[in-house]
């Protein structure tokens, strides 16, 4: 019997023995600017009424002239620097001509042969080791309007156009075909999202369409240099979809090649519900967009002073931060990766360290990567933790004043109520009992009440002591220092007192 869900992975593994996948990724991301790319309309239109953020420029009305958004250019330049790309001293804009209802001018202002950034790279860390992807280019263009296909009440199909998105600044980032597995593609997209968020270039939320990932996938026999026929995949709306869609496409192409069929160059969409790709359009020949220089915009000069200012404004990049956390602060690779991958966790870790002079960074990191992110992920929404309170809590546990279990509980209460950690510890009487006399008295009571466990231990069942420690913890409402309780119990059991 085949268990549903495991068969495709098995088929994929078998196919990979014969073929090498070659994958390139194209990402479009909405830049974080106040206004649109070539007009003064607000770029904050998510959730706004359709066609409420429009003007003659972004509606493509005759005679309306574009003006370059300086901030958008700076965000692409910042991205270029962050991916170690070359930035040309001068660049220009080109018209990409095609006719479609979401493009009111009949052309899109984009960049063709002089992108703002080229020849970059991004290194992605994985549990199996790092890999580096070459990035061919990053350029700036304008977004299109949004088409909505709907059915009217009388049953007729209509297509509606919302021009709010028309003219929003968009950055396109294209890799070389350096990726070899669906998992690498997903990890690259995740690392790129983290980078874009870290430098403030984009909110890069896939579900809100701010980060759109497309993949080019082809297969070739192992050892072959020439590329196979490539298929473009669109409509992947989450990182999970990216990995599943590419994995599914690799299997589809491998099965076709095994059956002696030729791969048809085409664009396929990803159907998340069916877990399959479908044909969107077949390319007869390469598209001819008749690119030509945009006559309404002057060439753009990127002078060294401007670029130096942008470089100086860059924050610490994720790769450098992970390395600093590991090498200078002594964090485990796991904690460093988990904290850096989450901007909230990074912020809490940094501010807690600053608030707690003398605390081991490694101790703080286990609280942030473990307890804080655990609570946050269970709640499903952002949670507020005061760095000074977390610092106090970590110190109390590190000093043995309260137990780790109670520390966890206090953190959860702090998140739920907003009360201070110190106040909660005092109010709940949770101070850890480390006094040997008090713990010893509790141990005496527990031994007297559990003769069977005592007999078991003396008959050689060492694990009975774990049960007895649990009883001491229970009797003291979790306040006993577990190590001292264990020592007190063993001392009494072994001396026969
Ligand atoms: Zn406008």
């Amino acid at each position: 019997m085949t268990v549903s869900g495991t068969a495709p992975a098995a088929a994929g593994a078998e196919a990979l023995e014969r073929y090498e996948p070659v994958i390139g990724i194209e990402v479009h991301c909405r830049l974080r600017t106040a206004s649109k790319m070539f007009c003064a309309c607000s770029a904050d239109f998510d959730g706004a009424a359709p066609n409420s953020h429009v003007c003659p420029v972004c509606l493509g009305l005759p005679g309306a002239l574009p003006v370059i958004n300086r901030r958008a250019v700076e965000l692409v330049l910042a991205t270029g620097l962050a991916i170690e790309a070359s930035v040309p001293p001068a660049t220009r804009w080109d018209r990409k001509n095609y006719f479609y209802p979401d493009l009111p001018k009949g052309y899109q202002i984009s960049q063709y042969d002089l992108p703002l950034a080229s020849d970059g790279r991004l290194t992605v860390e994985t549990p199996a080791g790092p890999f580096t992807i070459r990035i061919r280019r990053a350029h700036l263009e304008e977004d299109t309007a949004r088409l909505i296909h709907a059915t009217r009440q009388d049953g007729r199909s209509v297509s509606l156009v919302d021009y709010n998105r028309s003219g929003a600044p968009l950055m396109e980032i294209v890799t070389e075909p350096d990726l070899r597995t669906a998992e690498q593609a997903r990890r690259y997209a995740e690392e790129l999202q983290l980078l874009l968020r870290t430098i403030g270039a984009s909110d890069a939320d896939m579900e809100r369409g701010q980060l759109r990932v497309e993949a080019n996938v082809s297969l070739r026999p192992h050892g072959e240099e020439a590329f196979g026929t490539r298929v473009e995949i669109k409509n992947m709306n989450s990182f999970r979809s990216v990995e599943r869609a590419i994995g599914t496409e690799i299997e589809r192409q491998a099965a076709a090649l095994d059956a002696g069929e030729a791969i048809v160059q085409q664009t396929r969409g990803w159907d998340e519900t069916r877990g399959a790709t479908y044909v969107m359009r077949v390319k007869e020949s390469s598209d001819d967009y008749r690119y030509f220089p945009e006559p309404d915009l002057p060439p753009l000069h990127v002078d060294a002073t401007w670029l130096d200012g942008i470089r100086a404004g860059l924050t610490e990049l994720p790769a450098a931060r992970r390395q600093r956390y590991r090498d200078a602060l002594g964090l485990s690779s796991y904690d460093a990766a988990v904290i850096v991958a989450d901007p909230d966790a990074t912020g809490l870790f940094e501010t807690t360290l600053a608030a707690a002079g003398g605390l081991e960074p490694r101790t703080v990191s286990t609280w942030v990567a473990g307890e804080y992110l655990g609570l946050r992920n269970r709640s499903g929404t952002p949670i507020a933790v005061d760095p000074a309170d977390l610092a106090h809590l970590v110190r109390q546990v590190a000093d043995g004043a309260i137990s780790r279990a109670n520390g966890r509980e206090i953190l959860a209460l702090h998140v739920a109520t907003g009360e201070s950690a110190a106040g909660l510890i005092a109010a709940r009487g949770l101070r850890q009992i480390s006094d040997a006399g008090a713990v010893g008295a509790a141990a005496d009571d527990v031994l007297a009440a559990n003769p069977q466990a005592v007999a078991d231990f003396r008959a050689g069942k060492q694990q009975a002591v774990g049960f007895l420690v649990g009883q001491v913890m229970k009797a003291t409402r979790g306040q006993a220092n577990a190590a001292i309780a264990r020592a007190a119990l063993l001392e009494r059991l072994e001396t026969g007192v």
Side-chain angles (χ1 to χ4, degrees), residues 12 17 61 77 83 130 155 216 220 226 258 277 290 303 307 339 356 365 433 448 460 467 483:
E17 287 169 17
L61 300 187
L77 291 173
I83 58 173
N216 286 303
R220 62 184 174 191
D258 274 355
T277 59
R290 295 189 300 113
D303 68 67
L307 201 57
I339 291 173
S365 76
I433 304 167
F467 167 76

Side-chain angles (χ1 to χ4, degrees), residues 36 38-42 53-59 163 166-167:
K36 291 191 187 179
F38 298 114
C39 62
C41 289
S42 160
H53 287 51
V54 292
C55 75
V57 173
C58 55
L59 285 173
Y163 287 100
S166 176

Side-chain angles (χ1 to χ4, degrees), residues 6-258:
T6 60
E14 192 207 335
L16 288 181
E17 287 169 17
R18 286 184 294 281
Y19 305 106
E20 178 183 49
V22 175
I23 306 160
I25 298 285
E26 227 176 272
V27 161
H28 284 89
C29 87
R30 176 108 53 82
L31 293 168
R32 194 194 280 169
T33 56
S35 57
K36 291 191 187 179
M37 187 61 230
F38 298 114
C39 62
C41 289
S42 160
D44 183 19
F45 48 76
D46 279 343
N51 298 310
S52 59
H53 287 51
V54 292
C55 75
V57 173
C58 55
L59 285 173
L61 300 187
L65 287 174
V67 177
I68 298 169
N69 182 330
R70 183 184 173 93
R71 180 74 187 141
V73 174
E74 287 177 348
L75 292 176
V76 177
L77 291 173
T79 304
L81 293 172
I83 58 173
E84 302 166 54
S86 317
V87 171
T91 179
R92 66 151 194 259
W93 311 93
D94 297 281
R95 285 191 180 181
K96 179 180 179 178
N97 299 277
Y98 66 94
F99 185 76
Y100 205 65
D102 64 4
L103 193 64
K105 296 194 296 289
Y107 61 84
Q108 179 187 29
I109 303 179
S110 181
Q111 297 193 284
Y112 183 52
D113 52 358
L114 285 171
L116 272 167
S118 52
D119 299 324
R121 73 205 71 254
L122 187 64
T123 296
V124 182
E125 287 188 35
T126 77
F131 64 90
T132 298
I133 301 302
R134 289 172 299 155
I135 296 176
R136 184 180 299 165
R137 58 187 282 155
H139 74 249
L140 186 51
E141 60 187 27
E142 56 178 336
D143 208 344
T144 60
R146 200 161 72 91
L147 288 177
I148 301 149
H149 304 287
T151 308
R152 291 199 323 198
Q153 281 185 335
D154 63 8
R156 288 179 61 188
S157 297
V158 288
S159 289
L160 306 166
V161 193
D162 176 4
Y163 287 100
N164 285 350
R165 201 179 70 184
S166 176
L170 206 59
M171 173 165 57
E172 183 179 315
I173 303 171
V174 185
T175 72
E176 296 291 346
D178 285 352
L179 297 140
R180 292 293 173 267
T181 68
E183 188 202 341
Q184 279 186 342
R186 190 251 302 158
R187 287 186 183 277
Y188 162 75
E190 287 174 340
E191 183 71 14
L192 186 64
Q193 181 197 52
L194 176 62
L195 184 78
L196 295 171
R197 286 179 169 175
T198 303
I199 64 174
S202 174
D203 292 327
D205 188 334
M206 280 188 94
E207 268 134 47
R208 291 170 66 196
Q210 296 163 335
L211 186 80
R212 314 201 278 268
V213 178
E214 290 162 27
N216 286 303
V217 179
S218 65
L219 298 189
R220 62 184 174 191
H222 281 290
E224 173 71 54
E225 288 274 312
F227 295 130
T229 304
R230 66 185 202 175
V231 169
E232 196 177 323
I233 313 173
K234 290 175 182 276
N235 290 353
M236 300 176 286
N237 296 321
S238 66
F239 292 119
R240 184 169 169 269
S241 298
V242 169
E243 186 166 349
R244 285 185 73 204
I246 295 172
T248 303
E249 178 59 18
I250 289 170
E251 287 157 22
R252 188 191 71 82
Q253 290 188 21
L257 291 171
D258 274 355

Side-chain angles (χ1 to χ4, degrees), residues 162-481:
D162 176 4
Y163 287 100
N164 285 350
R165 201 179 70 184
S166 176
L170 206 59
M171 173 165 57
E172 183 179 315
I173 303 171
V174 185
T175 72
E176 296 291 346
D178 285 352
L179 297 140
R180 292 293 173 267
T181 68
E183 188 202 341
Q184 279 186 342
R186 190 251 302 158
R187 287 186 183 277
Y188 162 75
E190 287 174 340
E191 183 71 14
L192 186 64
Q193 181 197 52
L194 176 62
L195 184 78
L196 295 171
R197 286 179 169 175
T198 303
I199 64 174
S202 174
D203 292 327
D205 188 334
M206 280 188 94
E207 268 134 47
R208 291 170 66 196
Q210 296 163 335
L211 186 80
R212 314 201 278 268
V213 178
E214 290 162 27
N216 286 303
V217 179
S218 65
L219 298 189
R220 62 184 174 191
H222 281 290
E224 173 71 54
E225 288 274 312
F227 295 130
T229 304
R230 66 185 202 175
V231 169
E232 196 177 323
I233 313 173
K234 290 175 182 276
N235 290 353
M236 300 176 286
N237 296 321
S238 66
F239 292 119
R240 184 169 169 269
S241 298
V242 169
E243 186 166 349
R244 285 185 73 204
I246 295 172
T248 303
E249 178 59 18
I250 289 170
E251 287 157 22
R252 188 191 71 82
Q253 290 188 21
L257 291 171
D258 274 355
E261 295 165 20
I263 301 299
V264 180
Q265 189 183 342
Q266 57 189 212
T267 300
R268 298 178 73 92
W270 170 245
D271 184 330
E272 180 72 40
T273 319
R274 283 174 49 235
T277 59
Y278 59 92
V279 180
M280 288 174 86
R281 69 192 171 108
V282 176
K283 269 188 188 165
E284 304 268 315
S285 59
S286 67
D287 295 308
D288 181 6
Y289 292 118
R290 295 189 300 113
Y291 280 98
F292 63 83
E294 166 61 58
D296 289 342
L297 288 167
L300 182 80
H301 295 277
V302 183
D303 68 67
T305 316
W306 189 24
L307 201 57
D308 286 346
I310 295 167
R311 187 181 283 114
L314 278 180
T315 53
E316 187 177 34
L317 302 178
R321 181 168 286 162
R322 276 189 292 257
Q323 192 176 355
R324 176 169 67 85
Y325 282 4
R326 282 193 311 259
D327 299 351
L329 301 183
L331 266 57
S332 68
S333 293
Y334 176 82
D335 280 359
V338 165
I339 291 173
V340 172
D342 188 290
D344 290 341
T346 307
L348 182 62
F349 175 67
E350 297 274 351
T351 48
T352 303
L353 266 192
L359 265 185
E360 271 289 305
R362 209 183 159 91
T363 312
V364 177
S365 76
T366 63
W367 279 85
V368 174
E371 318 308 342
Y372 164 75
L373 281 176
L375 278 173
R376 214 273 315 274
N377 295 344
R378 278 194 295 278
S379 89
T381 53
I383 58 173
V385 172
D386 188 297
D389 284 289
L390 180 58
H392 178 74
L393 205 51
V394 173
R395 187 182 297 288
Q396 292 290 302
V397 174
D399 292 350
I402 61 170
S403 67
R404 174 114 190 173
N406 280 333
R408 270 199 288 270
E409 198 185 321
I410 294 292
L411 183 63
L413 285 169
H414 168 68
V415 167
T417 65
E419 285 178 43
S420 78
L424 287 163
I425 291 169
R428 307 229 142 206
L430 283 179
R431 295 206 63 82
Q432 182 161 277
I433 304 167
S434 296
D435 173 62
V439 177
D444 287 337
D445 292 346
V446 164
L447 289 173
N450 295 281
Q452 186 59 51
V454 174
D456 287 349
F457 179 83
R458 293 195 169 130
K461 281 179 75 177
Q462 294 285 323
Q463 63 269 38
V465 78
F467 167 76
L468 292 167
V469 170
Q471 295 304 303
V472 173
M473 298 307 288
K474 199 170 158 189
T476 58
R477 292 192 302 135
Q479 286 171 256
N481 180 315

